Amino acid sequence: MLALAATPPLLSKCSSSRTQWRLKVMADDDAFPSFLPKQVEKIKDPFARRLAKRIERLPVSFSGNRIMSSCIKPLIESKKSPVVLLHSFDSSCLEWRYTYPLLEEAGLETWAVDILGWGFSDLGRLPCCDVGHVAAKRDHFYQLWKSYIRRPMILVGPSLGAAVAIDFAIKHPEVVENLVLIDASVYAEGTGILAKLPTTVAYAGISVLKNFLSRLYANCLAFNDISFTTSLERTNVGRLHCLYPWWEDATVNFMINGGYNVIAQIEQVKQKTLIIWGEDDKIISNKLALRLQCELPNAILSQIPHCGHLPHVEKPNSVAKLIVEFVQENYTERLNMCLSSESLSLSLSPHGNST
């Protein structure tokens, strides 16, 4: 059983000495990656600071270009399927600052990947028209998986990241073993009327997304019973990636290209799916959690009480526990299937004992 600490999370005593040592090295290193906006130095949250120091840029071949793509790589390898964490709309891998270390100390091989167009990837040499399409985001993620992860994965998507995960699982079912969807934003018909806005109006709307007060208000909606001080800090972390010069172009391009519409794809999902939902979500009603569970062919639902729209930020212990148990259950099922298959093969072989 995973030993989970109260929020904020702490490293458990059951971690291996090697993993503890490597995590300590990362925590004690005061240098942030040089490609992060300089405002990262002002972040006070120790978990955000620690995870930010682990962000890397890996070369990914995409659309005739070589993109230095941002992610957090695992410190450990595991026989279990790797867990790959996406993020919500207009966010970054720092969204996982509280839950990521809990998954890692539980022994899971964990990646946190920035979706093309958001996060901390270098888009300076890539035309903005190449990053807004859903197909482009999907292809970029596939190329990153093909180059570095290379094993069927447990794909985790919160909010809009759930739509990204469903779209990817349908198009590349061979690389997605199972899904975890958190307060899933999967019933919106893309960006809707926003896709028809004149470009100048779209840029004006995007500037609101970048505005500190707008993001502060969004934080108040996203979390249940959050203090003003905590909201200020989460706002600073959440808008860090917006400070890159290409952020506006990439986000406007996403809007005018229509965004994600996966409503028709939901019933096509073949993977076993864990749905996690905050009972007090003020952004997406938990009634849609029940609808999603009914429409997915093979899904289980776990609701987290006294929790808002981003449980992996607000209730990391609960989310980590659910993911760890889900991964372990799937690993055990897969192992039993392999053992049963081997036993059957032996019994049917000419040298077996069956008569």
Side-chain angles (χ1 to χ4, degrees):
M1 179 61 68
L2 172 64
L4 292 172
T7 305
L10 301 172
L11 291 178
S12 71
K13 294 180 181 179
C14 64
S15 302
S16 70
S17 58
R18 181 182 178 188
T19 302
Q20 285 183 333
W21 178 82
R22 296 185 73 180
L23 288 172
K24 186 176 187 299
V25 169
M26 300 303 299
D28 291 345
D29 182 1
D30 289 331
F32 289 102
S34 60
F35 56 79
L36 291 182
K38 62 182 181 180
Q39 287 84 347
V40 70
E41 297 283 356
K42 298 179 180 179
I43 299 297
K44 297 177 182 178
D45 183 341
F47 298 97
R49 292 178 65 88
R50 190 173 299 129
L51 204 60
K53 292 172 186 177
R54 290 184 56 183
I55 298 174
E56 299 182 38
R57 280 178 172 173
L58 303 177
V60 175
S61 296
F62 166 74
S63 190
N65 293 278
R66 190 167 177 261
I67 300 177
M68 298 304 294
S69 304
S70 50
C71 68
I72 299 166
K73 293 168 57 179
L75 291 177
I76 59 176
E77 295 181 2
S78 172
K79 292 182 180 180
K80 300 180 181 68
S81 300
V83 175
V84 180
L85 309 171
L86 301 175
H87 56 75
S88 58
F89 170 73
D90 189 26
S91 186
S92 76
C93 54
L94 287 181
E95 194 174 293
W96 290 97
R97 56 195 177 273
Y98 303 129
T99 303
Y100 187 101
L102 291 173
L103 297 175
E104 193 164 63
E105 70 182 75
L108 299 186
E109 184 177 330
T110 309
W111 293 74
V113 175
D114 281 337
I115 298 168
L116 182 68
W118 298 308
F120 304 103
S121 299
D122 183 3
L123 305 183
R125 297 182 181 180
L126 191 68
C128 66
C129 60
D130 287 346
V131 304
H133 293 271
V134 166
K137 296 181 186 298
R138 182 196 314 129
D139 185 50
H140 172 264
F141 181 35
Y142 178 74
Q143 294 303 324
L144 187 148
W145 173 88
K146 185 178 179 181
S147 298
Y148 300 102
I149 303 173
R150 297 190 293 265
R151 295 163 57 202
M153 58 187 167
I154 311 293
L155 187 56
V156 184
S159 195
L160 184 72
V164 179
I166 287 176
D167 172 79
F168 191 84
I170 292 295
K171 296 300 192 298
H172 297 288
E174 73 283 0
V175 307
V176 180
E177 184 175 300
N178 296 111
L179 289 170
V180 179
L181 308 178
I182 303 175
D183 289 68
S185 178
V186 293
Y187 289 110
E189 297 181 1
T191 55
I193 194 173
L194 298 178
K196 301 178 181 180
L197 292 176
T199 302
T200 53
V201 178
Y203 272 96
I206 287 300
S207 66
V208 173
L209 277 179
K210 189 176 182 178
N211 181 271
F212 182 87
L213 292 177
S214 297
R215 287 194 172 250
L216 182 64
Y217 176 68
N219 267 282
C220 293
L221 287 179
F223 300 106
N224 186 46
D225 193 25
I226 183 175
S227 71
F228 183 71
T229 302
T230 301
S231 187
L232 285 175
E233 184 65 11
R234 289 182 181 175
T235 299
N236 285 328
V237 174
R239 69 188 294 268
L240 193 61
H241 68 284
C242 300
L243 304 178
Y244 285 121
W246 51 77
W247 172 81
E248 287 189 356
D249 290 339
T251 306
V252 166
N253 191 252
F254 173 75
M255 286 175 55
I256 64 179
N257 276 289
Y260 282 88
N261 184 350
V262 297
I263 298 173
Q265 294 177 297
I266 292 173
E267 294 183 351
Q268 302 172 33
V269 173
K270 303 300 182 185
Q271 293 85 351
K272 183 178 179 180
T273 304
L274 168 64
I275 303 169
I276 300 174
W277 216 281
E279 286 187 353
D280 298 328
D281 191 339
K282 298 181 181 67
I283 294 178
I284 303 177
S285 169
N286 65 354
K287 293 180 181 179
L288 291 179
L290 298 173
R291 174 181 171 183
L292 184 59
Q293 183 186 21
C294 291
E295 293 183 1
L296 284 168
N298 186 12
I300 54 177
L301 171 63
S302 292
Q303 299 205 47
I304 301 178
H306 312 297
C307 183
H309 183 61
L310 298 175
H312 52 300
V313 179
E314 189 171 353
K315 300 283 187 177
N317 299 332
S318 299
V319 171
K321 183 175 185 293
L322 288 168
I323 292 176
V324 169
E325 290 175 348
F326 183 65
V327 173
Q328 182 61 49
E329 178 184 319
N330 292 324
Y331 176 70
T332 302
E333 288 178 358
R334 191 170 75 250
L335 194 61
N336 289 337
M337 287 178 62
C338 289
L339 291 174
S340 298
S341 178
E342 287 179 6
S343 297
L344 179 61
S345 178
L346 286 172
S347 68
L348 296 177
S349 70
H351 303 291
N353 296 323
S354 75
T355 57

